[in-house]
Structures are given as C-alpha cells and as structure tokens.
Amino acid sequence: MDPKNGSSFTGFILLGFSDRPQLERVLFVVLLIFYLLTLLGNTTIIALSRLDPHLQTPMYFFLSNLSFLDLCYTTSTVPQLLVHLRGADKSISFSGCVAQLFVSLGLGCTECILLGVMAFDRYAAVCMPLHYTVIMHPRLCALMASASWFIGFANSSLQTVLIFLVPLCGRNKIDHFFCEIPPLLKLACVDTTVNESELFSVSVIILLIPVALITFSYGRIVKTVLRIKSASGQKKAFGTCGSHLTVVSLFYGTGIYIYLQPSSNYSQDQGKFISLFYTIVTPMVNPVIYTLRNRDVIGAMKKMITTRKYVSLSLSYLEVPGSYMMYFQYVLKYKYILVYVVTVSLQITLNGEKKTLSRRCREQWLLVESGTTQELHGTNYTSIDTIS
C-alpha cells in the first residue's frame, strides 16, 4: 500500500444511507426480514439436497452450491449493513474492507459463472435427455462447480490487489453501504483510467460470456419445448423458464449496470439501491424460483415432516420410560434425523419379549401410509389419528 494512503491506518467510513435517517429505519426492518428469509430458504435447499436421495442429482448439486454461495454472499455484507443502519458508528477497518471486497467480489463472480453452468445443465436435461446421465457425469459436475469457484476467487484476488494499490491520499469516506470497486475508485487521487479499462475488460468476460451461454441454452430449450404437443406441458415449461430468466435478468442486469457503464455516468445513489438487488433480493428469491416451486422439493419436505412425526409416534407407542422419552423428544426436536437412524437399530424389551424397534417402526409406517385399522402381530392398530 502506498505510504500516502492514510486510510491504511484510519480505516474507512461507509456512508451508506446516512443522509436519509427515516429510510434507514425502514430499510433495517425490510432487510432483516429479507436476510432471515434468505437464510431459511437456502438452508432448507442445502439440507434437503443432502438428506433426500431423490434430490442427489446434477441439478440439485448445482442448486445446493448456489444456495451455499448465496448464504455466504448475503452474510458478507448484510449483517454489517444492519448494524450500521441502527448505529451511529459507520466505520470499517482497513483489513475488514479488504476482506469484504475479496469475499463479496469472489462470490459474485462465482455466481455469474455458476448460473451459466446451471443453464447448460438444463439444456442437457431438456434437449438431450437420453444422453443426460452420460454428459452430466458426477465428476464433470464437480469439475464445473470447482472451476466456477476457482475462477471467481482468482479474479477477486486480482481485483482486490489492484484496487488497494491505488493511492487514496487519506480519503476514507466511501459513499456506499459496503466495500465495492466503483465507489473505492472514486476515492483515488490519481488517474484511474487504466484500472477502469482493466475492470471493464474482466467484467465483459465474467458477465457477458455466461449471459451468452444462458441465452443460447434457453433458446434451444424453448425450441425443444415448442415441439411438445401438450399445451399444458408447454405452459409449465415456459412458466419455469420464465421464472428462471427473470432471476437471471435481475442478477446480471444489475451487475452489468454497476460494472459495465462508464464511470462518468455512475450515480452513487442509484448504485447503492441497485446493489441491494444482487446482494439481498436475488439470493432471497433464488430458492423460491429454482426449487421451492418444484414438486420434487415439496415432496421431500413433506417426507421429512412425516418421518419426524412417524418416529415420534413410534417412541410414544413403545412406552419408553418417562425420563428416556423426555430425552428422545428433546433430541428429536433438534436432531430428528439422527434419532431416526438410531431408532432403526435400537432394541427394546417389552413384556419379556425382545422386539426390534425397526420392525415396530415399519408397522407404524404402514399405518401412516394407509390411515386405516389393521391387525399386525396380534395387536389391533388403529388409525394414525387414534394413535396420536
């Protein structure tokens, strides 16, 4: 860092929305709700993709990567923004600003590339269904996901080093709510034409090449969908593609506005509000658009809820002593999947006869599925409502 750069010792001040005190209160509530929904939605997708065998496919592998990426992306900026919105101290240390720029830029670039990879996955699934499993081999999926992360953070490393080599001459007030390249360049006290040209060239590669791939992929998908004779099938396919393209357009459109327009036309106020879209709005909407509207995911969620209820019924029916029952229910509340695995192999002695809980669980599962009165092993089992 240049010795003239006093910000290396004093840190930075993120002005954010401090010129609009009334707006800060509204933004705090809205962004807090958005952030919690982002955490909930993306965590649900990751958990379901890991726990349900039916969702362990290339599509959900990439979606779980996207969800994890969105979790990290929002967490790199939003918590600090929430603190600044409610407090008078708007400062951030120099090392904190460097770390924030590196992480947020790396995750943003990774998402740009990953969305292009996901579009290729959908193209292979729709346009080449017979060869899909051969094309999207698990090894290739892991390679494409790893390449997305590597390229994203390699570019972030380069840009972070270059931006903090620019002398700032003691200027430390960033007119933004987090450390980002365009507002940081505004602090420079030297000519930044070379930096802006380099940033523009890299942005074209990171933003426009994935956009071209997505456009090509969805163009071929639409062409294939038009061959479907069923009107309902076409409507469903176009509805799904339309939702995906809406999110993609929102993410890439805001990114292109920030990084590809000339610096002379860049508006700090517009930049702050547009940055909110790709830092908080898009990560919140992604789980809803890509997965929570999907029947497979909804089915997996219902299955997990039913499994929890079924394990609870099995434990209560087997008359486990009270102290142990309290322990099981406590663990079940937080780690019900672990309880299910343990109870499959657990053995309990009842009425002098040793019976495996796994067999009793299967009997209870029959009742959950049928909901009718059956007689199993000489015991009259009533419906699930009666048992509960």
Side-chain angles (χ1 to χ4, degrees):
M1 198 74 184
D2 195 304
K4 295 186 294 181
N5 195 345
S7 60
S8 60
F9 302 100
T10 61
F12 295 96
I13 297 175
L14 296 171
L15 298 178
F17 303 95
S18 56
D19 56 335
R20 299 177 177 88
Q22 298 297 328
L23 180 62
E24 283 189 323
R25 299 173 185 174
V26 177
L27 278 177
F28 177 82
V29 176
V30 174
L31 294 181
L32 178 61
I33 295 173
F34 280 15
Y35 182 58
L36 294 176
L37 290 176
T38 301
L39 295 181
L40 177 62
N42 287 288
T43 303
T44 301
I45 297 309
I46 295 173
L48 291 176
S49 299
R50 291 291 181 183
L51 296 174
D52 194 312
H54 298 93
L55 298 184
Q56 293 176 5
T57 61
M59 174 184 173
Y60 290 101
F61 169 75
F62 291 123
L63 285 171
S64 61
N65 268 267
L66 180 64
S67 294
F68 177 72
L69 191 154
D70 283 338
L71 281 176
C72 298
Y73 193 27
T74 54
T75 303
S76 68
T77 57
V78 175
Q80 182 191 59
L81 173 59
L82 292 174
V83 172
H84 287 176
L85 288 173
R86 293 300 296 164
D89 185 12
K90 314 287 185 182
S91 63
I92 181 174
S93 65
F94 175 76
S95 58
C97 187
V98 173
Q100 186 178 66
L101 177 63
F102 171 74
V103 173
S104 61
L105 184 61
L107 292 170
C109 294
T110 301
E111 182 161 353
C112 288
I113 301 169
L114 189 61
L115 288 173
V117 171
M118 291 170 63
F120 173 75
D121 172 69
R122 291 297 84 209
Y123 161 73
V126 175
C127 301
M128 295 178 286
L130 298 180
H131 303 284
Y132 178 69
T133 54
V134 177
I135 297 172
M136 301 305 295
H137 190 273
R139 207 173 279 176
L140 178 61
C141 294
L143 179 62
M144 290 194 295
S146 301
S148 300
W149 286 88
F150 176 78
I151 294 173
F153 277 92
N155 175 61
S156 177
S157 301
L158 174 63
Q159 300 301 329
T160 302
V161 170
L162 291 178
I163 191 64
F164 284 104
L165 286 176
V166 177
L168 305 182
C169 305
R171 301 174 184 176
N172 67 341
K173 293 185 178 181
I174 303 175
D175 192 9
H176 211 290
F177 61 86
F178 76 104
C179 293
E180 197 172 23
I181 291 180
L184 280 169
L185 280 177
K186 292 287 185 180
L187 299 181
C189 57
V190 296
D191 183 30
T192 58
T193 304
V194 175
N195 298 80
E196 292 171 7
S197 300
E198 182 272 337
L199 178 63
F200 180 84
S201 301
V202 173
S203 299
V204 168
I205 297 173
I206 298 294
L207 287 169
L208 296 187
I209 290 181
V211 167
L213 178 60
I214 291 170
T215 303
F216 170 79
S217 299
Y218 277 97
R220 297 301 297 268
I221 289 173
V222 169
K223 187 177 180 180
T224 302
V225 169
L226 289 175
R227 297 174 186 171
I228 300 175
K229 296 181 179 179
S230 170
S232 60
Q234 287 186 358
K235 183 178 180 181
K236 179 181 176 182
F238 281 126
T240 303
C241 292
S243 300
H244 292 188
L245 288 174
T246 300
V247 176
V248 167
S249 300
L250 183 64
F251 180 79
Y252 284 106
T254 52
I256 289 171
Y257 177 86
I258 295 294
Y259 286 95
L260 292 185
Q261 70 167 325
S263 59
S264 57
N265 297 336
Y266 182 79
S267 169
Q268 293 287 5
D269 286 338
Q270 290 181 359
K272 284 185 278 190
F273 286 102
I274 289 175
S275 296
L276 288 174
F277 280 92
Y278 59 79
T279 56
I280 184 65
V281 176
T282 303
M284 181 195 68
V285 174
N286 275 341
V288 179
I289 296 298
Y290 280 103
T291 52
L292 296 181
R293 296 175 69 242
N294 189 298
R295 289 184 179 180
D296 293 336
V297 176
I298 295 174
M301 293 177 66
K302 290 180 179 178
K303 184 178 178 182
M304 298 298 292
I305 296 171
T306 307
T307 300
R308 178 176 178 177
K309 185 175 182 179
Y310 142 63
V311 175
S312 178
L313 287 171
S314 299
L315 289 174
S316 62
Y317 179 77
L318 287 168
E319 300 176 0
V320 178
S323 58
Y324 294 101
M325 189 62 192
M326 289 177 62
Y327 171 76
F328 273 122
Q329 288 186 346
Y330 177 79
V331 178
L332 182 65
K333 183 176 180 181
Y334 299 98
K335 302 289 182 182
Y336 58 91
I337 298 301
L338 175 63
V339 174
Y340 176 74
V341 174
V342 172
T343 54
V344 170
S345 59
L346 182 65
Q347 292 185 335
I348 295 178
T349 303
L350 288 174
N351 301 324
E353 180 182 359
K354 195 172 184 179
K355 299 180 180 179
T356 60
L357 181 59
S358 59
R359 189 182 67 188
R360 307 290 287 186
C361 288
R362 285 196 297 270
E363 294 171 359
Q364 290 282 351
W365 185 248
L366 291 175
L367 297 175
V368 172
E369 289 187 326
S370 64
T372 59
T373 302
Q374 305 181 51
E375 243 183 67
L376 297 172
H377 302 286
T379 305
N380 187 27
Y381 287 69
T382 56
S383 66
I384 185 172
D385 293 328
T386 307
I387 292 174
S388 59

